[in-house]
Amino acid sequence: MVKHQPLQVYERQLCLSCLTGIYGCRWKRYQRSHDDSSKWECSWFFLLCCSFLLLLVWSYFWLEARNDYNEFNWLLYNRSAVWKDGTVPILATTLTGFTYTAFLMILALCHIVLGQQLNLYWIHKIVVLAILLTTITGVVSIDDFWQDEWDIVIISLQFTGPFLHIGALAVVTALGWVIAGQVVRVERSRLQVVMLVIYVSLLLVLYLVPLFISSPCITDRSKLGPRPAVIGRRGAPMLAPEHTIMSFSKALQQKVTALEADVTISLDGVPFLMRDRTLRRTTNVDKLFPARQDHDASFFNWTEIRSLNAGLWFLRDDPYWTVQYMSEKDRNRTANQTVCSLAELLRLAARTNRSVIFSLRRPPAQHPRHQLWVSDALKVIQRSSILPEQVMWTPDWYRKKVRAAVPLLQQTSDEKLPVAELKERGISTLTLHYSQARAQDIRQFSGSNSADEYGLIWITSDLISVAIVMGIFIFQKWKMSGMRSYNPEQVMLSAVVRRPSRDVNLMKEKLIFSEINNGVGSTDEFSVFTGNGLDTYSCDDIMTPARQATKL
């Protein structure tokens, strides 16, 4: 008597369905395949990796540039004449794009680990390509618009270097599981060799990177130098409107050692504090003098400038997102701030025994004080009660004349020059953007050295990584050798017939051969025939009463 037993067993694979469904919209069982991915799909996986890595660098750049967001907005303002926070849309799109590509990368790596065929859905392809092109456009635009800020990436590595190195080493070491699974397969191909060479090269680069990076961040507390001098640039512009008495008072509360300001000469020769060329961003000039709001700030006399409000814009624009933390008293005080003169700043510095450093902007050629601007500033310094040695003079114009008039002024430069030339000019202080002050320059100018303490940490991380990678490859090799000695009675349909799923939609299910009585021997012959697009099996053995056949 012949008994029939179904050969198809449906197992719930919710995780695999979600994996292939989200990545390639392959939600059905018969849509999945263990075949090798096509070159076209491999190309899209390569583009996905490029998008992810480029977005990773782009995200790191904006993370480290967070101290200069206001400077970026100021550059936008100088180009568009409209104040807006341009970092918000950039950060939002960067975070969205990075999250999206990182999620797709995880799905793709899971496909590779599980042996599933890569087949990125066409909507994902469009989005990935758009993200890649948008990021490239952003990088090119920043390189043209804010090129100096790229230096912050190199400088930040002095602090984040060890953490990034250990993190990258952990990620690449974990990828060894994926690489080993592809390399130790029975089928040998040129792609496997290329993958292995790239992976080993990447590991060697990570192992040797510490030889070329010096970081003074990890050091013994007893070896730390004195606390660096903190200067209030334009006061404390995150806590109060820049270049106002309130802003400088807030900076003094933070125990700064000096106050820095940008000085412009008014139409009647009064030096006042203003960073912008016009008064439109930081005052209400558009309400009091609407016809002159685009005029140069130096073409207003001091009486007109003094009548302007210099605090309402801070409450309205909230450039640093700090207004919500201000007390009601501080808000009222902010709303009544006026433009500060250089004389007021010097009196405040003299009263609190602080130094003052300022940059002086020369008025336009048609300005009546065009030739007298340096003299106007020197007169204010000489008439104030501040000690000359507490004033750092930055402008290079008429420096010899200034040194002769007030010899005790600290000669300062905002230009990075060789030490010999600085001494020749009598310059004793440099004021540079932090992205221009490299560790070796600071050592050269100050004669100090920083200790490097990262060697032991990095060498230990490298040794652990080597041990883990070797263990992964040995385990994958042992696992693959065990799979080759399989039981012939446990066969999957996909292992018997390798047919591309893109040619015909095959339902590849696990076939269970069970013995009833004596069962089917391993020497039975099975023939494969195709009908109506489905692969089926039949047994041509002569059935005897002692044996039972399994039939599809």
Side-chain angles (χ1 to χ4, degrees):
M1 181 177 180
V2 179
K3 294 183 179 181
H4 301 278
Q5 184 173 344
L7 298 181
Q8 293 179 341
V9 176
Y10 293 89
E11 298 179 356
R12 293 184 179 273
Q13 298 176 321
L14 296 180
C15 292
L16 186 59
S17 297
C18 291
L19 182 69
T20 58
I22 297 175
Y23 185 82
C25 201
R26 292 185 170 188
W27 300 96
K28 302 298 182 181
R29 183 186 299 266
Y30 65 86
Q31 294 175 320
R32 299 195 290 266
S33 173
H34 289 278
D35 295 332
D36 293 335
S37 302
S38 63
K39 294 182 178 180
W40 174 251
E41 292 300 330
C42 291
S43 301
W44 277 106
F45 176 70
F46 176 75
L47 287 179
L48 177 61
C49 294
C50 292
S51 301
F52 173 76
L53 294 176
L54 186 59
L55 263 176
L56 186 63
V57 176
W58 179 251
S59 302
Y60 180 79
F61 168 79
W62 283 104
L63 177 65
E64 295 302 324
R66 60 188 179 276
N67 289 330
D68 297 328
Y69 286 170
N70 188 260
E71 181 180 346
F72 175 76
N73 293 331
W74 188 70
L75 293 175
L76 290 179
Y77 170 77
N78 289 336
R79 289 199 173 191
S80 63
V82 177
W83 178 263
K84 57 183 179 180
D85 195 344
T87 61
V88 173
I90 293 177
L91 294 176
T93 54
T94 299
L95 179 61
T96 303
F98 181 77
T99 304
Y100 182 83
T101 53
F103 182 61
L104 289 181
M105 277 291 298
I106 294 174
L107 294 179
L109 292 176
C110 290
H111 273 69
I112 297 175
V113 171
L114 297 176
Q116 292 290 324
Q117 187 183 54
L118 292 174
N119 186 27
L120 187 63
Y121 193 45
W122 64 271
I123 293 181
H124 291 326
K125 293 178 179 178
I126 295 176
V127 176
V128 168
L129 187 60
I131 290 175
L132 179 61
L133 295 178
T134 303
T135 308
I136 293 175
T137 303
V139 171
V140 173
S141 301
I142 289 296
D143 188 67
D144 176 65
F145 176 66
W146 204 18
Q147 186 176 13
D148 294 340
E149 194 66 17
W150 287 115
D151 294 336
I152 191 60
V153 175
I154 305 300
I155 294 176
S156 67
L157 291 177
Q158 297 181 35
F159 170 71
T160 61
F163 307 103
L164 292 178
H165 174 260
I166 294 175
L169 200 59
V171 171
V172 175
T173 301
L175 285 177
W177 183 271
V178 179
I179 301 298
Q182 299 295 314
V183 171
V184 301
R185 293 189 308 176
V186 179
E187 301 87 357
R188 297 296 179 185
S189 64
R190 186 178 303 174
L191 180 61
Q192 291 173 301
V193 178
V194 173
M195 289 175 58
L196 184 60
V197 170
I198 294 176
Y199 180 73
V200 173
S201 301
L202 183 58
L203 276 178
L204 290 177
V205 169
L206 288 176
Y207 292 158
L208 299 177
V209 155
L211 299 176
F212 305 97
I213 297 180
S214 176
S215 177
C217 295
I218 296 181
T219 185
D220 189 356
R221 183 179 293 271
S222 60
K223 298 180 181 179
L224 289 176
R227 177 179 181 268
V230 179
I231 297 176
R233 188 181 186 190
R234 298 188 295 276
M238 298 182 68
L239 306 177
E242 64 183 53
H243 282 147
T244 61
I245 290 296
M246 180 180 177
S247 181
F248 291 112
S249 299
K250 291 288 186 181
L252 292 173
Q253 293 176 9
Q254 304 300 319
K255 300 180 180 180
V256 299
T257 57
L259 302 172
E260 182 180 2
D262 304 290
V263 179
T264 301
I265 307 298
S266 69
L267 191 65
D268 50 353
V270 177
F272 66 97
L273 311 185
M274 183 60 55
R275 182 189 187 190
D276 300 353
R277 186 186 63 83
T278 68
L279 300 168
R280 186 169 60 180
R281 180 176 69 91
T282 57
T283 68
N284 60 341
V285 66
D286 57 330
K287 293 182 172 56
L288 297 185
F289 308 101
R292 302 168 60 192
Q293 60 178 325
D294 293 325
H295 290 187
D296 195 290
S298 61
F299 284 101
F300 290 78
N301 62 47
W302 177 240
T303 303
E304 294 171 334
I305 295 171
R306 193 64 169 179
S307 66
L308 299 173
N309 184 289
L312 290 175
W313 73 275
F314 186 84
L315 299 176
R316 182 189 66 241
D317 297 337
D318 193 11
Y320 294 98
W321 308 326
T322 55
V323 173
Q324 58 181 326
Y325 305 109
M326 296 177 66
S327 64
E328 190 66 26
K329 181 180 178 180
D330 282 345
R331 293 190 185 189
N332 294 332
R333 186 183 175 190
T334 299
N336 294 301
Q337 291 299 302
T338 57
V339 178
C340 181
S341 66
L342 177 59
E344 291 176 303
L345 174 62
L346 294 178
R347 284 197 296 268
L348 178 63
R351 188 169 64 250
T352 57
N353 194 27
R354 295 293 191 275
S355 299
V356 173
I357 177 173
F358 61 88
S359 58
L360 188 61
R361 184 170 71 90
R362 189 174 190 178
Q366 62 272 28
H367 196 279
R369 315 301 296 183
H370 179 69
Q371 300 295 338
L372 303 173
W373 59 300
V374 173
S375 299
D376 291 336
L378 284 178
K379 289 178 182 178
V380 173
I381 296 173
Q382 291 172 327
R383 292 173 182 174
S384 66
S385 58
I386 193 171
L387 298 176
E389 55 267 26
Q390 289 182 302
V391 178
M392 303 180 186
W393 182 267
T394 303
D396 277 331
W397 293 85
Y398 310 112
R399 190 179 289 275
K400 291 184 179 180
K401 177 182 176 181
V402 172
R403 292 178 61 185
V406 189
L408 294 180
L409 288 178
Q410 287 192 49
Q411 296 299 319
T412 308
S413 176
D414 55 5
E415 184 180 2
K416 189 175 180 181
L417 299 172
V419 177
E421 186 173 352
L422 292 175
K423 291 181 178 179
E424 181 181 352
R425 295 188 183 185
I427 297 173
S428 59
T429 307
L430 280 179
T431 168
L432 302 173
H433 189 269
Y434 64 89
S435 63
Q436 297 178 332
R438 302 183 185 276
Q440 56 268 29
D441 297 331
I442 296 175
R443 295 191 188 104
Q444 182 181 3
F445 292 141
S446 63
S448 61
N449 293 304
S450 300
D452 295 331
E453 301 281 343
Y454 285 129
L456 181 61
I457 298 176
W458 280 346
I459 292 175
T460 303
S461 302
D462 292 349
L463 293 177
I464 294 175
S465 173
V466 170
I468 293 176
V469 170
M470 292 180 62
I472 288 175
F473 273 81
I474 293 173
F475 177 77
Q476 289 280 32
K477 186 71 174 178
W478 171 80
K479 181 181 176 182
M480 183 59 65
S481 62
M483 291 179 60
R484 292 168 188 169
S485 57
Y486 61 89
N487 189 344
E489 296 182 1
Q490 300 174 352
V491 184
M492 293 183 64
L493 182 59
S494 59
V496 178
V497 182
R498 302 280 293 185
R499 299 177 64 86
S501 59
R502 58 182 175 272
D503 298 334
V504 290
N505 291 330
L506 303 177
M507 180 179 294
K508 297 185 175 182
E509 302 296 340
K510 185 183 295 185
L511 300 180
I512 301 178
F513 297 89
S514 61
E515 289 191 6
I516 303 177
N517 296 331
N518 292 333
V520 181
S522 60
T523 57
D524 295 314
E525 296 179 359
F526 292 86
S527 62
V528 181
F529 65 92
T530 302
N532 298 326
L534 296 176
D535 294 328
T536 58
Y537 283 74
S538 66
C539 179
D540 294 336
D541 291 329
I542 300 177
M543 300 180 186
T544 64
R547 303 183 61 186
Q548 296 176 341
T550 304
K551 190 174 182 182
L552 179 64

